[in-house]
PDB file of all heavy atoms in Angstrom:
ATOM      1  N   TYR A 136      77.347 116.842 109.493  1.00 98.00           N
ATOM      2  CA  TYR A 136      76.900 115.461 109.349  1.00 98.00           C
ATOM      3  C   TYR A 136      76.786 114.858 110.820  1.00 98.00           C
ATOM      4  O   TYR A 136      77.591 115.108 111.607  1.00 98.00           O
ATOM      5  CB  TYR A 136      77.796 114.606 108.502  1.00 98.00           C
ATOM      6  CG  TYR A 136      77.841 114.956 107.091  1.00 98.00           C
ATOM      7  CD1 TYR A 136      79.088 115.201 106.419  1.00 98.00           C
ATOM      8  CD2 TYR A 136      76.701 115.128 106.243  1.00 98.00           C
ATOM      9  CE1 TYR A 136      79.159 115.660 105.151  1.00 98.00           C
ATOM     10  CE2 TYR A 136      76.819 115.431 104.962  1.00 98.00           C
ATOM     11  CZ  TYR A 136      77.976 115.637 104.386  1.00 98.00           C
ATOM     12  OH  TYR A 136      78.071 116.029 103.077  1.00 98.00           O
ATOM     13  N   ASP A 137      75.836 113.965 110.916  1.00 98.00           N
ATOM     14  CA  ASP A 137      75.633 113.218 112.168  1.00 98.00           C
ATOM     15  C   ASP A 137      76.356 111.888 112.216  1.00 98.00           C
ATOM     16  O   ASP A 137      76.881 111.559 113.162  1.00 98.00           O
ATOM     17  CB  ASP A 137      74.152 113.035 112.545  1.00 98.00           C
ATOM     18  CG  ASP A 137      73.385 114.378 112.873  1.00 98.00           C
ATOM     19  OD1 ASP A 137      74.049 115.274 113.336  1.00 98.00           O
ATOM     20  OD2 ASP A 137      72.179 114.431 112.753  1.00 98.00           O
ATOM     21  N   VAL A 138      76.106 111.160 111.164  1.00 98.00           N
ATOM     22  CA  VAL A 138      76.631 109.772 111.161  1.00 98.00           C
ATOM     23  C   VAL A 138      77.370 109.674 109.713  1.00 98.00           C
ATOM     24  O   VAL A 138      76.700 109.833 108.731  1.00 98.00           O
ATOM     25  CB  VAL A 138      75.496 108.666 111.166  1.00 98.00           C
ATOM     26  CG1 VAL A 138      76.148 107.356 111.115  1.00 98.00           C
ATOM     27  CG2 VAL A 138      74.680 108.910 112.540  1.00 98.00           C
ATOM     28  N   VAL A 139      78.607 109.216 109.904  1.00 98.00           N
ATOM     29  CA  VAL A 139      79.328 109.018 108.561  1.00 98.00           C
ATOM     30  C   VAL A 139      80.029 107.593 108.706  1.00 98.00           C
ATOM     31  O   VAL A 139      80.101 107.011 109.655  1.00 98.00           O
ATOM     32  CB  VAL A 139      80.390 110.092 108.220  1.00 98.00           C
ATOM     33  CG1 VAL A 139      79.620 111.531 108.236  1.00 98.00           C
ATOM     34  CG2 VAL A 139      81.424 110.142 109.337  1.00 98.00           C
ATOM     35  N   LEU A 140      80.379 107.240 107.352  1.00 98.00           N
ATOM     36  CA  LEU A 140      81.104 105.904 107.208  1.00 98.00           C
ATOM     37  C   LEU A 140      82.512 106.205 106.605  1.00 98.00           C
ATOM     38  O   LEU A 140      82.674 107.077 105.671  1.00 98.00           O
ATOM     39  CB  LEU A 140      80.166 105.178 106.160  1.00 98.00           C
ATOM     40  CG  LEU A 140      80.742 103.885 105.701  1.00 98.00           C
ATOM     41  CD1 LEU A 140      80.772 102.794 106.823  1.00 98.00           C
ATOM     42  CD2 LEU A 140      79.924 103.430 104.484  1.00 98.00           C
ATOM     43  N   ALA A 141      83.435 105.429 107.122  1.00 98.00           N
ATOM     44  CA  ALA A 141      84.801 105.364 106.494  1.00 98.00           C
ATOM     45  C   ALA A 141      85.067 103.971 106.080  1.00 98.00           C
ATOM     46  O   ALA A 141      84.824 103.080 106.937  1.00 98.00           O
ATOM     47  CB  ALA A 141      85.777 105.887 107.498  1.00 98.00           C
ATOM     48  N   VAL A 142      85.256 103.762 104.739  1.00 98.00           N
ATOM     49  CA  VAL A 142      85.563 102.417 104.275  1.00 98.00           C
ATOM     50  C   VAL A 142      86.985 102.402 103.515  1.00 98.00           C
ATOM     51  O   VAL A 142      87.360 103.405 102.964  1.00 98.00           O
ATOM     52  CB  VAL A 142      84.538 102.035 103.129  1.00 98.00           C
ATOM     53  CG1 VAL A 142      84.981 100.700 102.452  1.00 98.00           C
ATOM     54  CG2 VAL A 142      83.271 101.906 103.825  1.00 98.00           C
ATOM     55  N   GLY A 143      87.712 101.358 103.812  1.00 98.00           N
ATOM     56  CA  GLY A 143      89.036 101.279 103.083  1.00 98.00           C
ATOM     57  C   GLY A 143      89.162  99.950 102.484  1.00 98.00           C
ATOM     58  O   GLY A 143      88.725  98.796 103.131  1.00 98.00           O
ATOM     59  N   ALA A 144      89.625  99.779 101.297  1.00 98.00           N
ATOM     60  CA  ALA A 144      89.699  98.508 100.615  1.00 98.00           C
ATOM     61  C   ALA A 144      90.791  98.444  99.615  1.00 98.00           C
ATOM     62  O   ALA A 144      91.028  99.643  98.942  1.00 98.00           O
ATOM     63  CB  ALA A 144      88.415  98.129  99.905  1.00 98.00           C
ATOM     64  N   GLU A 145      91.398  97.369  99.349  1.00 96.00           N
ATOM     65  CA  GLU A 145      92.507  97.252  98.237  1.00 96.00           C
ATOM     66  C   GLU A 145      92.488  95.848  97.668  1.00 96.00           C
ATOM     67  O   GLU A 145      92.533  94.840  98.532  1.00 96.00           O
ATOM     68  CB  GLU A 145      93.712  97.621  98.774  1.00 96.00           C
ATOM     69  CG  GLU A 145      94.561  98.371  97.829  1.00 96.00           C
ATOM     70  CD  GLU A 145      94.098  99.673  97.353  1.00 96.00           C
ATOM     71  OE1 GLU A 145      94.103 100.642  98.261  1.00 96.00           O
ATOM     72  OE2 GLU A 145      93.903  99.858  96.293  1.00 96.00           O
ATOM     73  N   LYS A 146      92.462  95.724  96.583  1.00 94.00           N
ATOM     74  CA  LYS A 146      92.671  94.451  95.787  1.00 94.00           C
ATOM     75  C   LYS A 146      94.027  94.367  95.299  1.00 94.00           C
ATOM     76  O   LYS A 146      94.441  95.151  94.415  1.00 94.00           O
ATOM     77  CB  LYS A 146      91.718  94.315  94.635  1.00 94.00           C
ATOM     78  CG  LYS A 146      91.088  92.903  94.195  1.00 94.00           C
ATOM     79  CD  LYS A 146      90.220  92.355  95.241  1.00 94.00           C
ATOM     80  CE  LYS A 146      89.947  90.919  94.813  1.00 94.00           C
ATOM     81  NZ  LYS A 146      90.472  89.842  95.596  1.00 94.00           N
ATOM     82  N   MET A 147      94.846  93.513  96.004  1.00 91.00           N
ATOM     83  CA  MET A 147      96.250  93.571  95.558  1.00 91.00           C
ATOM     84  C   MET A 147      96.722  92.287  94.886  1.00 91.00           C
ATOM     85  O   MET A 147      97.824  92.346  94.246  1.00 91.00           O
ATOM     86  CB  MET A 147      97.226  93.739  96.871  1.00 91.00           C
ATOM     87  CG  MET A 147      96.820  94.772  97.816  1.00 91.00           C
ATOM     88  SD  MET A 147      97.401  96.426  97.386  1.00 91.00           S
ATOM     89  CE  MET A 147      99.194  96.214  97.692  1.00 91.00           C
ATOM     90  N   ARG A 148      95.940  91.274  95.045  1.00 89.00           N
ATOM     91  CA  ARG A 148      96.456  89.911  94.579  1.00 89.00           C
ATOM     92  C   ARG A 148      95.943  89.499  93.299  1.00 89.00           C
ATOM     93  O   ARG A 148      96.376  88.344  92.854  1.00 89.00           O
ATOM     94  CB  ARG A 148      96.157  88.849  95.664  1.00 89.00           C
ATOM     95  CG  ARG A 148      96.843  88.995  97.020  1.00 89.00           C
ATOM     96  CD  ARG A 148      98.254  88.849  97.073  1.00 89.00           C
ATOM     97  NE  ARG A 148      98.911  87.797  96.257  1.00 89.00           N
ATOM     98  CZ  ARG A 148     100.021  87.085  96.577  1.00 89.00           C
ATOM     99  NH1 ARG A 148     100.577  87.296  97.804  1.00 89.00           N
ATOM    100  NH2 ARG A 148     100.533  86.348  95.920  1.00 89.00           N
TER     101      ARG A 148
END
Side-chain angles (χ1 to χ4, degrees):
Y136 295 123
D137 289 338
V138 180
V139 301
L140 172 72
V142 172
E145 213 71 60
K146 210 71 184 102
M147 311 278 292
R148 295 295 319 212

